[in-house]
Amino acid sequence: MLENYTQQYRDALLNDVLPFWLKNSPDREFGGYFTCLDREGKVFDTDKFIWLQARQVWTFAMMHNRVEARADWLDMAEHGADFLLKHGRAADGSWYFSTTRRGKPLVQPYNIFSDCFAAMAFGQLSRATQNAEYADLAKTTFDNILARRHNPKGAWNKAVPGTRPLKNFALPMILCNLSLEIEHLLDKSLVEETIAECLHEVMDVFYDAESGMILENVTPDGKLSDSFEGRLLNPGHAIEAMWFVMDLAVRRNDPVLIERAVKITLDTLEYGWDKAFGGIYYFLDRKGAPPQQLEWNQKLWWVHIETLIALLKGYKLTGNEDCWHWFEKVHQYTWSHFADPEKGEWYGYLDRRGEVLLPLKGGKWKGCFHVPRGLYQCWQTLEKIRA
Amino acid sequence: MLENYTQQYRDALLNDVLPFWLKNSPDREFGGYFTCLDREGKVFDTDKFIWLQARQVWTFAMMHNRVEARADWLDMAEHGADFLLKHGRAADGSWYFSTTRRGKPLVQPYNIFSDCFAAMAFGQLSRATQNAEYADLAKTTFDNILARRHNPKGAWNKAVPGTRPLKNFALPMILCNLSLEIEHLLDKSLVEETIAECLHEVMDVFYDAESGMILENVTPDGKLSDSFEGRLLNPGHAIEAMWFVMDLAVRRNDPVLIERAVKITLDTLEYGWDKAFGGIYYFLDRKGAPPQQLEWNQKLWWVHIETLIALLKGYKLTGNEDCWHWFEKVHQYTWSHFADPEKGEWYGYLDRRGEVLLPLKGGKWKGCFHVPRGLYQCWQTLEKIRA
């Protein structure tokens, strides 16, 4: 049983998903990757989204660093890195949101996650190549992110300052992940400080003891806000954070923290699971009010693969049987709904009933990242459970 | 048959929809209207969205001006106008997107439609009251809109200038509608110029002869753009525009223009109708690629009521039987899916299958506007058809 699962995750990664991107995504004429790929892998839009360019660089560099030093993987990572170096940055060093196929800047650097994934990409690639330019770029970008962190949208922030200040859950999570990614380029004390701050933010500030849920947005002093943003829950996002926390807890040798992360994973899953049709909701409102997101009840690929990672890590670390039972249930839903054995890779967007909403394998927000990272993480964790 | 329809639209307007908003929406403590109302009409969020505040002022002022000079309707309009006067504007006279319940500005004036609906609101209210302050405000706001029209998002525009300039279909349509709304405050020549320009933009520039569809975005010189924005179709938006065009064609006594608007209405409806589950899709891509909007296959209230108006006007003006057949089909879908005879008013958001997606009667984008305006327009047109 365990052996079948292990093989399924490894085979899908090595024989299906990575080959799909190797074959369909490189733009051999203008560099970088196409990410808007239809069911068959054919390109339906040629814009280059910096988030997704950087995430694909990271994925292939990570595979090269951690699984096997394959030349085709490193070439694919460097192919994207070249495009990012040539076209990705504005004059102030921040990263555009998107460019045209040829690399002309299209959408301004309003989104700090472009910078976060660029830093991750060049961090991984600097490990693979020892290229000092990549290392410098990762480090400089990280410093810029720290400088922008308290107003990440900058001039494009539409909130009137002071009326309802809120802080968002995504940034502390990603900063923590990022500081580990480029640990080899940072002072040890900065890494440890960032981890400690992230754990405090996630587990004390964004965790709401009353509901037992992680909130997407809280006031600057960590209070609830009774507004659309302040009531928002994103179960997949909370569960993804919990496997980051489990990894950090292992690093810090903190079994109490592991137990808390496992409990939040299971509680969030119980709350976010669609009892009628299966799958995990995309957004919920903690007071049960209608969310403003019209896509709230859709089932998204990344939510499900991130949940599989958290459940396997939770099971590996604690032996909690609930993790295993939930793993089998979410595995069953995920593979029978998202995977497309006939044409390869995974669908990204299903409606509430689990029917395909958009017949694409990649788009403006789905690239070569969550599926391969998740398959890799599940494969590795299953290997450790077997050992 | 015609009499039953006429009565249904009139009764719903006068005995269901307007009473729902009169009863549930006024904020007697801090002014303005609540628009986030659940199925029963109970408030689930207290933010004030300037679009929706202004649209409700317009609706009650319009009813007072065109149907009956009822004091409760005028009071309701002035109740919202007071809030807008006190809290709606930034220092430069542009209109905020939203405020808190107490009127503290929350989201910046990034959205020119706040200004458009504010001008409409004060234009209608100035007709009802002869209040010069209202008239001045409508006129000043209109002038500001004209000054901002070529970069309506201003500093909040995230597009890099020059790379892929696009113009959007909404603004010419709304400017034309607005110039008629405040015709009594404008030079006759400006009104006629605006109408001529709008008709040219809609029927020549945004109309794509190859597909027979109205596009949401084109290049500044009216060409197709092969991008997410440039491929986007919004059938409800195009059909809404067609009844504006029919009204203008009547004003200009132009039967050829009427025929064109009727044909585009029918072609768009044929294209946008969901043959499997009924109802009109929210968004489509003219090349059949996956749209970026995850809500693309949902069924929205305003799309359906605007289509009913266009079909009745088309039938009244041309006697085209296709308009009548489609009217009966869309009427049947609309009343059996959106209306909520048990609790009043209409649901706004259905999934593809026509099941309620959000159990609300009002929210961040749905207020007291499309349903009452549509019921009024259908009622009036049915009266004329009967006559």
Side-chain angles (χ1 to χ4, degrees), chain B residues 1-10 308-309 311-313 315-316 324 327-328 331 335 374-387:
Chain B
M1 196 61 174
L2 263 177
E3 196 177 322
N4 290 346
Y5 282 129
T6 312
Q7 192 177 329
Q8 182 173 355
Y9 284 85
R10 186 189 54 222
L308 290 167
I309 303 170
L311 290 166
L312 284 178
K313 288 189 188 265
Y315 181 66
K316 152 84 177 50
W324 185 257
F327 168 72
E328 294 207 295
H331 171 94
W335 287 87
L375 295 172
Y376 168 77
Q377 286 284 345
C378 288
W379 162 31
Q380 295 298 311
T381 309
L382 284 159
E383 294 276 18
K384 287 180 200 150
I385 294 170
R386 284 170 72 200

Side-chain angles (χ1 to χ4, degrees), chain A residues 36 44-45 47 49 96 100 104-108 110 155-164 226-229 231 282 289-292 294-298 300 349 353 355 357-360 364, chain B residues 36 44-45 47 49 96 100 104-108 110 155-164 226-229 231 282 289-292 294-298 300 349 353 355 357-360 364:
Chain A
C36 295
F44 69 86
D45 192 271
D47 284 353
F49 305 99
Y96 289 114
T100 64
K104 213 171 163 195
L106 197 53
V107 175
Q108 302 279 14
Y110 77 95
W156 295 279
N157 190 346
K158 292 185 290 200
V160 174
T163 299
R164 184 185 292 156
D226 191 3
S227 59
F228 281 106
E229 293 76 14
R231 292 189 302 267
Y282 190 11
Q292 63 176 310
L294 297 183
E295 64 273 29
W296 75 274
N297 69 7
Q298 295 175 8
L300 269 69
Y349 304 89
R353 290 171 183 253
E355 287 173 25
L357 181 81
L358 294 172
L360 56 76
K364 186 171 171 179
Chain B
C36 294
F44 68 85
D45 192 90
D47 284 353
F49 305 99
Y96 289 115
T100 63
K104 211 170 165 198
L106 196 52
V107 175
Q108 302 278 14
Y110 78 95
W156 294 280
N157 189 346
K158 291 185 291 196
V160 174
T163 299
R164 184 184 292 154
D226 189 4
S227 58
F228 281 105
E229 293 76 15
R231 292 189 303 269
Y282 189 11
Q292 63 177 312
L294 297 182
E295 63 273 28
W296 74 275
N297 70 6
Q298 295 175 7
L300 270 68
Y349 304 90
R353 291 172 183 252
E355 287 173 23
L357 181 81
L358 294 173
L360 56 75
K364 187 171 171 179

Side-chain angles (χ1 to χ4, degrees), chain B residues 294-308:
Chain B
L294 297 182
E295 63 273 28
W296 74 275
N297 70 6
Q298 295 175 7
K299 311 296 163 63
L300 270 68
W301 85 104
W302 67 266
V303 170
H304 293 76
I305 187 86
E306 296 300 327
T307 299
L308 290 167

